[in-house]
Amino acid sequence: MSKVLKGVDTAGLKFRLVDAKEQVVGRLAAQLSVILQGKDKVQFAPNLDIGDVVVVKNAQHVVFTGKKWKQKLYRHHTGFPGGLKERSARLQFEKDPTEILRKAVYGMLPKNKLRDARARKLRIFPDEGHPFEKHPQLVAWEMPPRKLRANKEFYDLPEEYEPMNPEAYRKRFWHMMNAAQQQRVLQYEDNQRAGSESQQ
C-alpha cells in the first residue's frame, strides 16, 4: 500500500471509498474535488493540504449526459509542428477508463502549488477490486441526491380567459401549462381557425 500512495502523507486522513457506478462524470468530479481540497472539514484553509484520500471504484461504469461520448474531445500536443492530437471521450474511455474521471477532477482543482499534491490522493480503479479494502480508515461515501426542479404547474390559466392569439400564446406558455390547459389552448386555436375559414 505504501507503493500505491508513494509521496502522500496520510497522517490523520480518512480514506473515502466512492462507487462511481452509473454516476455522471461532471457531478462526481465536482464532489471529489471538494473532498480532495478538504472543503468539507471545519478546519479547511486554502493554503493547507488537509483533504482526505479518495478511492474510486467502478470507474469504467461512469456515464456522460447528452452526446458527450461523441462530442467531447480530449486534446494534447506532442511538441512538434502540427502535433495537435485529439480523441473523443469514447476513444479515451476505451484506451483508459479511469483517465476520464481523473482529468475531470484535475481540472476542477485550484490551479496552484497544491494541485499535484491533492491529485496524488485520488486513486481510481476500473473495477470493484482495489488495494485499500482492509485499510482501517476506509469509509464509504455516497453521492448527495440530485436537486431536480419539481415538475409543477407554473402558470394557471383562468377558466373564463380566452387568448386573442392562441397560436402565439401556445408558443410562449406551452411549457408552463398542464395537460388540461394545453388542451384548452389547442381548442381555442382550432375554434379561431374554423372561424376565420367560415368568414372567408
Side-chain angles (χ1 to χ4, degrees):
M1 188 178 300
S2 60
K3 294 182 179 180
V4 178
L5 287 174
K6 185 177 180 180
V8 178
D9 184 12
T10 61
L13 301 182
K14 294 181 180 179
F15 284 65
R16 309 284 189 95
L17 179 61
V18 181
D19 189 358
K21 191 171 184 179
E22 302 300 329
Q23 295 291 342
V24 180
V25 173
R27 293 186 61 249
L28 180 60
Q31 296 294 332
L32 297 184
S33 66
V34 171
I35 299 176
L36 292 172
Q37 296 174 65
K39 281 190 171 182
D40 56 342
K41 298 182 178 181
V42 295
Q43 64 269 30
F44 166 75
N47 63 323
L48 298 179
D49 184 19
I50 59 175
D52 293 330
V53 178
V54 178
V55 181
V56 182
K57 64 178 183 178
N58 291 323
Q60 65 179 357
H61 300 293
V62 295
V63 296
F64 272 122
T65 57
K67 300 179 181 179
K68 294 187 181 70
W69 283 116
K70 294 182 178 179
Q71 296 179 350
K72 186 174 178 62
L73 299 176
Y74 293 89
R75 296 183 175 92
H76 70 279
H77 204 286
T78 62
F80 293 93
L84 179 63
K85 306 295 182 180
E86 66 179 24
R87 62 171 62 99
S88 65
R90 174 60 64 186
L91 294 178
Q92 180 66 49
F93 181 82
E94 293 175 355
K95 183 178 181 180
D96 185 2
T98 66
E99 194 64 19
I100 286 181
L101 185 59
R102 192 184 315 278
K103 288 179 178 294
V105 176
Y106 190 78
M108 293 185 184
L109 292 174
K111 282 69 173 175
N112 53 30
K113 293 183 179 180
L114 295 177
R115 190 185 195 188
D116 291 337
R118 288 166 172 167
R120 278 195 293 270
K121 292 187 290 186
L122 176 65
R123 291 295 180 263
I124 305 176
F125 302 94
D127 301 316
E128 287 279 350
H130 57 87
F132 302 95
E133 296 178 354
K134 298 182 180 179
H135 196 279
Q137 298 295 329
L138 188 65
V139 179
W141 182 86
E142 296 183 0
M143 278 281 292
R146 295 186 66 179
K147 297 180 180 179
L148 298 177
R149 186 175 64 179
N151 187 14
K152 299 180 180 179
E153 301 174 14
F154 294 95
Y155 189 78
D156 187 15
L157 184 63
E159 291 291 337
E160 66 279 1
Y161 177 72
E162 182 174 350
M164 295 185 63
N165 190 343
E167 183 178 359
Y169 191 90
R170 172 175 55 83
K171 292 179 180 179
R172 182 172 182 182
F173 299 107
W174 183 264
H175 65 286
M176 298 184 181
M177 295 182 289
N178 57 24
Q181 294 170 347
Q182 292 174 353
Q183 190 64 32
R184 285 177 55 195
V185 173
L186 291 177
Q187 186 64 37
Y188 293 150
E189 193 172 345
D190 292 339
N191 294 341
Q192 190 181 63
R193 188 181 300 110
S196 62
E197 292 176 356
S198 62
Q199 291 177 1
Q200 294 177 358

